[in-house]
Structures are given as C-alpha cells and as structure tokens.
Amino acid sequence: MLPVSVSQPSALTTPKPINNQIQPKPVPQVVNQGQGSWFTIKVNPGDTLSTIFSRHGLGVSKLYSLINSGPEGKSLADIRPGQSLEVYTFKGKLEKVRFVRNKLESILFTATTDSYHAEKIKLKPNVRAKVVSGKINHSLFLAGRKAGLSHKMTMQLANIFAWDVDFALDIRKGDSFKVVYEEKYLEGEKIGEGNILAAEFNNRGEAFTAINYTDSDGANDFYSPEGRSMRKAFIRTPVEFSRISSRFSLGRKHPVLNRIRAHKGVDYAAPRGTPIRAAGKGKVIFAGRKGGYGKVVILQHGEQYSTLYAHMNRIGKGIRVGLRVKQGDVIGAVGSTGLATGPHLHYEFRVSGVHKDPLKVKLPKAMPIARKELANFKQQAKSMLSLLKNAENTAIALKQE
C-alpha cells in the first residue's frame, strides 16, 4: 500500500471556559456526606434495572417508585451498557440517583415523601475550531486518518463535495484537502466532534470550497464563497459501487444478446443487496418488472428530468407509483434481474426524454443562498476562508453551546 503524505494538523492550545462560566463538576465515585455516600454503578452488557438494584441491595420497591415517578423515570428503561448510575444512600435509604446518559446529559432523581423528583442536567461544552490538511497518495480515507480526521468526519467531507467530485473515479494522487471543524471540550477534556464549518478540496488541479451556513429560519447547508449551493439537484452516483462495468455507448455489444445494441446508461457493479438511492427529489412513475431491465424503478423529477434504475434484486419497501421521494432515499437494492450477467445497477438519466451520459451530463444546481442572507453569509465566509488560508497555525474558540 502506498504511503500517505499529509501536512501536520494545526496545534491547538488547551481550551478554556468561555465568558468565565464554570461548568458543574460531575459527582465523584465516592463522596462521604456524614453517614451517607455516593457510589457509581457501571452498566454492563445484559444488565437491567432490576438486576442492578438487586445486586446492590437497593430494594425493588424503590425501583418501582423511581420508574413510576414520571416520564424521566420511565426513561431509565432505556439504560445501556457503558452508561452509569451514581447512587447516594443515607442511613441505608436510597436518597438520590443520577442517571448519566453521556458526558453532557444526566437526570438527577431526589427522594420525596412518597416518590422521586427528577431534574434534567445538561452541561454545555466549549466549542473550538480545529483545522487540518492532507494530501492524497492512495485514498481519501487513509489521508483523512493520517491527518487526524475520524471516519465520520471524512464521510462528512466526502458528502459535501459529492456533487462535484466522484470519490470512486475522480480521485488522483496529489489531490489535497483542508477542513475546519468543531471540537467539543468539557473541563479541558475533548469529548467529541461537531460539524464541518468550512472545507476545501483540490481535485485534478481544480479547487472547490464550501462554507457551512445556517440561515435565519434555521435551515443549514453548504455554499460556495459566492453563495452558490454546493448541493446539486442530482447526485452523480446513486450507489456505492466497486467498478463501472459498462459505460454509456451507442455502439456497445450486448453481453447477453451478443449483438450491437445501444447502451443508454451506466452499469455500476456492486455486491447484491447494495442499497440504491434516489439521485434526486422526485415522484415514482414506475415500479415493477420491465422486460430485459428486470425489476425497475423510474423517477420523474419535475417536467424535464427522469432517472431509471434497473436489474434490482428487490424494489424498496413502500416504493410504489405516485410516491414522492427525497434525494438519497433508498428505493431498492442491487441485483441481476432481467438480462444481466451479474449483480449491478443499470442507471439512466434523461432530459426531456432524451438519454444523456450520467457521467458527463451537466447537473442542474440547487437554489443559491437567499438574497436577505447574503450579507451575513459573506461575513461568516470571510472568517472561514481566513481559517482555511492559515490552516497550519490557526486555533480559535468559537462558542459555548
């Protein structure tokens, strides 16, 4: 395997609380309070509340009282391995129970005369911008890992540019990327990652830049620095495939019929059962068997565009004529029904009824950013572009959630 060359991630200083706000400290494992004490119970695989209470002698009657104290009590039924219960007993009585969902969310139950009072506790992390960059010698995921990106973050990066870059076919050695994303800290400890705020991807000498923006209505999307949506009306590839087994051609020899027959689509070889996704928002106008196509779904996208998905192993559950689907919805699974020599998706793209090469057709863009949002967006974009430009030495505290 070829080595991956990446530039080092930018160094960040240890984050500090913003606005001098002090975070509440979690309950320690053992805290003596007179004759009472706190102790922590880790939830193990196979544990239930009943087995936990029995094992620690907390009393079944207390368990019922806790569960029936309200909606928060009933949520204890969802307790999972890895979570914990912090329990305070005083003179042998169960006085407090703290259900720790995660590092930020917990519920504190305090004993009353005949039940328990529940209080939700939600801590707010400090959020900082982390900037990393990398160069690809083999694959985006190897380069991302070398740069310090998690698999989830690398997937986010690929999804942002999926309308402009085919990450299965277009990636070349020497392509590069820069990413500005959120890291979340609590009391100086990193506890997770947030969203990508801005990214740049250089593919075959062409640079693509995306800025994350949430408008005044709360809608979130990625835009170019000029305010054009990174999202297209159609995704280029509607299935995760291993290779293209047949391209668009008007003079191709059919592998089953053994004669020249125009191939008005692209065949994506993929394992049987691989999910097939709608290339764009539209309406199902056909779902069923169609001659040599085998099991087929055809979508209509407005008045001008339609897409066809053939040789399915199965049509997606609930997919029927008249159903409206969103871009990315699963509409079926890869198979080899009809005239097919092996499992693959045959995909066609039509404009006003005329077949176009799905790999080369110019895809229509989604709506640009609203005019009323443009000034605010430009200001935010300027800040993010500065971070991308100074990727090797930039660190900044952003906000507290």
Side-chain angles (χ1 to χ4, degrees):
M1 186 173 293
L2 295 173
V4 179
S5 172
V6 298
S7 55
Q8 294 297 318
S10 59
L12 291 183
T13 56
T14 302
K16 298 178 180 178
I18 297 176
N19 298 329
N20 297 318
Q21 182 172 347
I22 299 175
Q23 300 286 3
K25 293 184 179 295
V27 177
Q29 185 166 342
V30 177
V31 177
N32 292 321
Q33 298 183 6
Q35 298 180 39
S37 63
W38 282 100
F39 64 94
T40 299
I41 303 171
K42 293 293 183 183
V43 181
N44 299 314
D47 275 351
T48 64
L49 279 177
S50 179
T51 59
I52 289 173
F53 270 60
S54 296
R55 185 164 66 240
H56 293 275
L58 298 175
V60 176
S61 61
K62 294 294 184 182
L63 170 61
Y64 292 143
S65 180
L66 192 64
I67 291 176
N68 294 318
S69 62
E72 291 82 7
K74 289 181 172 54
S75 71
L76 287 168
D78 297 328
I79 198 165
R80 298 189 300 272
Q83 294 178 329
S84 63
L85 293 175
E86 292 168 348
V87 178
Y88 176 70
T89 58
F90 183 73
K91 294 184 178 180
K93 295 182 179 180
L94 184 62
E95 296 292 337
K96 296 177 186 289
V97 176
R98 185 171 183 243
F99 171 34
V100 183
R101 291 182 180 274
N102 51 55
K103 292 184 177 180
L104 295 178
E105 298 179 355
S106 61
I107 304 174
L108 179 64
F109 298 90
T110 303
T112 61
T113 304
D114 56 359
S115 184
Y116 284 88
H117 170 73
E119 176 188 1
K120 290 184 178 180
I121 301 172
K122 188 170 183 178
L123 304 181
K124 296 181 179 181
N126 293 322
V127 182
R128 297 180 65 84
K130 178 70 175 287
V131 189
V132 300
S133 59
K135 184 173 291 186
I136 298 171
N137 272 357
H138 186 72
S139 75
L140 173 63
F141 286 93
L142 285 175
R145 184 169 62 189
K146 186 73 173 181
L149 292 178
S150 64
H151 181 84
K152 179 181 177 181
M153 198 59 64
T154 304
M155 281 296 296
Q156 282 191 41
L157 175 63
N159 288 335
I160 291 168
F161 297 107
W163 285 269
D164 294 297
V165 180
D166 189 324
F167 284 91
L169 299 175
D170 292 346
I171 297 300
R172 292 294 183 269
K173 180 178 179 180
D175 287 352
S176 62
F177 59 85
K178 292 181 181 179
V179 186
V180 182
Y181 66 97
E182 295 173 324
E183 283 191 326
K184 298 180 179 181
Y185 288 84
L186 189 63
E187 296 187 319
E189 177 189 359
K190 179 183 174 182
I191 61 170
E193 298 170 337
N195 298 315
I196 289 179
L197 303 175
E200 178 184 292
F201 197 89
N202 289 277
N203 175 235
R204 298 183 177 188
E206 186 176 3
F208 302 94
T209 303
I211 309 295
N212 188 333
Y213 181 73
T214 301
D215 65 22
S216 55
D217 295 323
N220 178 267
D221 212 336
F222 284 88
Y223 299 88
S224 73
E226 297 76 31
R228 296 190 299 271
S229 176
M230 298 300 294
R231 187 183 299 274
K232 306 297 188 293
F234 297 92
I235 53 177
R236 181 69 69 179
T237 307
V239 68
E240 292 184 10
F241 64 98
S242 54
R243 63 187 176 89
I244 291 180
S245 55
S246 187
R247 295 175 179 269
F248 187 92
S249 172
L250 298 180
R252 169 240 200 188
K253 188 175 184 179
H254 196 281
V256 177
L257 300 177
N258 200 31
R259 58 185 173 84
I260 300 298
R261 185 175 182 180
H263 189 249
K264 297 181 179 181
V266 173
D267 289 350
Y268 296 102
R272 191 181 308 277
T274 301
I276 299 169
R277 302 182 183 277
K281 178 182 178 181
K283 182 173 70 174
V284 179
I285 60 172
F286 184 89
R289 281 193 169 269
K290 193 176 183 67
Y293 282 120
K295 293 181 180 179
V296 172
V297 170
I298 303 177
L299 303 179
Q300 185 71 40
H301 313 274
E303 296 182 0
Q304 192 176 8
Y305 301 95
S306 65
T307 53
L308 177 145
Y309 313 77
H311 303 310
M312 290 183 174
N313 180 53
R314 64 179 181 276
I315 293 171
K317 184 177 180 180
I319 299 298
R320 62 188 183 281
V321 173
L323 180 73
R324 294 193 176 276
V325 297
K326 300 189 298 293
Q327 186 179 75
D329 283 354
V330 175
I331 58 173
V334 169
S336 55
T337 56
L339 295 177
T341 56
H344 69 278
L345 167 67
H346 174 78
Y347 174 59
E348 295 182 3
F349 191 97
R350 303 175 187 179
V351 181
S352 299
V354 179
H355 289 84
K356 301 291 183 181
D357 185 347
L359 297 177
K360 297 179 180 179
V361 65
K362 185 175 182 180
L363 298 177
K365 295 181 179 292
M367 292 295 291
I369 200 164
R371 186 180 295 274
K372 67 177 182 178
E373 303 282 347
L374 198 54
N376 192 41
F377 168 78
K378 290 281 189 179
Q379 184 178 358
Q380 182 173 318
K382 183 179 179 180
S383 175
M384 289 297 106
L385 290 172
S386 178
L387 285 177
L388 285 171
K389 183 178 179 181
N390 300 289
E392 302 307 317
N393 56 12
T394 301
I396 183 172
L398 295 175
K399 61 183 177 180
Q400 190 167 43
E401 288 194 340

